[in-house]
Amino acid sequence: METIFALSSGSPPAGIAVVRVSGSNAALSLEQLAGRLPQPRRASRATLRSEAGELLDDGLVLWFPGPHTATGEDLAEFHLHGGRAVVTAVENALSGLPGLRRAEPGEFTRRAFANGRIDLAEAEGLADLLSAETELQRQAAIGMAGGLLSRRVEGWRDRVLGLSAQLEAVLDFEDEGDVGLLPATFGNAILMLADEISEGLSVPSAEILREGYRVALAGPPNAGKSTLFNALIESEAAITTPIAGTTRDVLVRPVALGGVPFSFVDMAGLRDASLDPVETIGIERAQIEIERADLVLWLGPEGEGPDDCWEIDAQCDREAHEAKSLPRYSVSAVTGENIGALKQGLIAQALAAMPKPGETALNRRQRLLLQEAVDALGPAAVEDDPLLRAELLRQCRLAFDRLIGRSSTEDVLDTLFGRFCIGK
């Protein structure tokens, strides 16, 4: 396998730049540029030179012999002065060495997965950790990257293996008379495991944490949606005018409130008919956003909003304003009245829908595979035919194997590792 290299720290200029090399020729890169192979796992100062003897930098080098490294391969690191010219010069020198090439996005982590240093669920957690922007996202991702879900799935898998072993013993030796029938509690043990996994499926989704709690502002034209939208995100992102139908397309802005990730959605005003075909398209898209939202703030006539919406009495500062009788909040985006209370209410609502610190959050792929396991265990608990029962338990194990990456398709791996940056 080719040896890869990439800048693994932030984009220059920076105080320090770290260039990482992974593969069988990692030692060669140190010998060629630093003139020697330093002691393993100890930072050592070195004068770096190109193959032609040109001075590249005066920095630190580290040598990590495999397989006990981040990637499971021989690994080298060059800690450089973080200027663009320095990084470019070192990368050019590395690219001129035999068997070395620049890494693709996520290739270091993909090699760690391929070499058994991490499993697929841990890699997904690492991807989320790298993209985390709030404390909640960081806490959930670091647990996943540390193997929180993987250990739980491995425990479930071990229990299924134990059940399968009992069943296989009966199938293999039933004619020899030295292995008894399955215990009376066998079916109950399967049901208990299925219930435990089903309980695990009740945790919040990772998507709501990654993408933010989605709040859509809905109502008729000129209800004050865009003004309130700007107040919530604290930016003049939406155009506001007294002209009905100003907002025609969907506008989404991610923002963190109190450390909680949100996605606020402004949209076209809802009305039965419009002579403007562009506005009509905007209204159709608004209806889609209402269905997609985790919560709808309804600024229209009281009682006409979608189910489970929050009735918002907007524009309460206007003299001719007709107040709602039972609003969740009465606010004015112009004066700021009760905007703070609305934000606190949204934070509390979002926190209730998101994973608690130390709690596992499941993405769609993980959730589907755990559901496959439950769907196999249910029939296995009551099936009389031992061969069919054994097959159902095998299907359950296969779902676990796909979740943690013992068996997985290339398209799943390509999608996941494509989320990583070049140096990771």
Side-chain angles (χ1 to χ4, degrees):
M1 185 179 291
E2 292 177 297
T3 299
I4 57 174
F5 68 88
L7 176 67
S8 293
S9 55
S11 299
I16 296 175
V18 178
V19 174
R20 175 180 286 178
V21 184
S22 180
S24 57
N25 283 346
L28 173 66
S29 69
L30 286 166
E31 291 168 348
Q32 290 293 322
L33 270 64
R36 58 187 170 83
L37 196 64
Q39 293 185 35
R41 295 175 172 81
R42 291 188 64 179
S44 176
R45 183 177 176 181
T47 300
L48 305 179
R49 296 184 181 275
S50 68
E51 191 175 9
E54 176 190 2
L55 178 63
L56 301 175
D57 195 22
D58 182 0
L60 297 177
V61 292
L62 290 98
W63 164 237
F64 304 93
H68 302 297
T69 64
T71 61
E73 304 174 327
D74 287 350
L75 196 69
E77 288 185 357
F78 297 86
H79 292 228
L80 317 169
H81 292 94
R84 288 189 179 88
V86 174
V87 173
T88 299
V90 171
E91 288 182 331
N92 288 341
L94 290 171
S95 65
L97 298 179
L100 269 72
R101 65 167 174 82
R102 296 177 188 273
E104 299 293 330
E107 194 168 2
F108 285 94
T109 308
R110 187 162 187 163
R111 290 193 178 194
F113 166 73
N115 292 323
R117 300 299 294 170
I118 59 174
D119 64 34
L120 195 55
E122 290 170 328
E124 288 173 315
L126 182 57
D128 289 339
L129 184 61
L130 292 174
S131 61
E133 295 184 353
T134 69
E135 180 61 14
L136 272 179
Q137 292 169 330
R138 184 195 67 82
Q139 289 176 349
I142 204 166
M144 188 72 73
L148 186 64
L149 175 62
S150 301
R151 288 190 293 273
R152 196 173 188 191
V153 172
E154 287 285 5
W156 290 333
R157 186 179 184 276
D158 287 344
R159 286 162 65 181
V160 173
L161 279 173
L163 293 166
S164 296
Q166 293 182 57
L167 190 55
E168 292 294 337
V170 171
L171 288 170
D172 291 344
F173 302 107
E174 60 182 349
D175 294 334
E176 299 183 13
D178 58 349
V179 176
L181 297 175
L182 289 171
T185 58
F186 189 81
N188 285 335
I190 296 177
L191 285 176
M192 287 177 61
L193 178 58
D195 289 343
E196 189 174 322
I197 299 172
S198 295
E199 184 179 346
L201 280 166
S202 65
V203 301
S205 71
E207 283 75 22
I208 194 172
L209 188 62
R210 182 186 307 134
E211 300 166 7
Y213 191 75
R214 199 172 184 90
V215 179
L217 284 70
N222 274 5
K225 299 183 300 299
S226 295
T227 306
L228 180 57
F229 175 83
N230 289 342
L232 289 171
I233 67 171
E234 298 180 3
S235 173
E236 296 298 316
I239 299 173
T240 58
T241 74
I243 303 172
T246 297
T247 303
R248 299 187 173 204
D249 204 351
V250 174
L251 184 60
V252 183
R253 285 292 183 272
V255 66
L257 299 180
V260 180
F262 284 88
S263 286
F264 286 102
V265 185
D266 189 24
M267 61 186 73
L270 303 175
R271 50 183 165 184
D272 293 334
S274 173
L275 298 177
D276 187 335
V278 176
E279 186 183 4
T280 299
I281 294 172
I283 293 172
E284 292 173 354
R285 292 181 178 179
Q287 294 288 1
I288 294 172
E289 287 296 332
I290 288 173
E291 293 294 326
R292 182 184 175 189
D294 298 307
L295 175 66
V296 175
L297 304 184
W298 179 249
L299 279 66
E302 192 166 10
E304 296 183 12
D307 294 340
D308 300 321
C309 68
W310 282 11
E311 292 280 359
I312 302 298
D313 187 13
Q315 302 173 331
C316 68
D317 57 301
R318 292 190 174 184
E319 292 183 2
H321 171 69
E322 185 176 344
K324 293 185 178 184
S325 59
L326 293 171
R328 185 70 174 247
Y329 291 95
S330 293
V331 301
S332 169
V334 174
T335 66
E337 183 178 348
N338 283 335
I339 294 296
L342 174 57
K343 287 182 178 180
Q344 290 303 314
L346 290 170
I347 291 170
Q349 181 79 2
L351 282 173
M354 290 185 174
K356 307 298 184 293
E359 186 178 47
T360 302
L362 300 174
N363 63 33
R364 287 187 190 90
R365 187 192 72 86
Q366 295 160 351
R367 192 176 295 277
L368 286 172
L369 289 171
L370 288 181
Q371 188 60 57
E372 282 185 23
V374 172
D375 292 344
L377 289 173
V382 296
E383 178 59 57
D384 293 327
D385 187 322
L387 288 174
L388 291 178
R389 205 173 214 179
E391 172 60 19
L392 288 166
L393 292 179
R394 188 192 71 83
Q395 291 177 13
C396 177
R397 294 199 310 273
L398 180 60
F400 291 148
D401 287 346
R402 289 164 59 196
L403 194 153
I404 57 181
R406 280 198 174 96
S407 59
S408 52
T409 57
E410 285 300 310
D411 58 339
V412 170
L413 299 180
D414 290 343
T415 300
L416 168 62
F417 293 112
R419 292 175 55 195
F420 288 81
C421 58
I422 295 291
K424 195 64 180 177

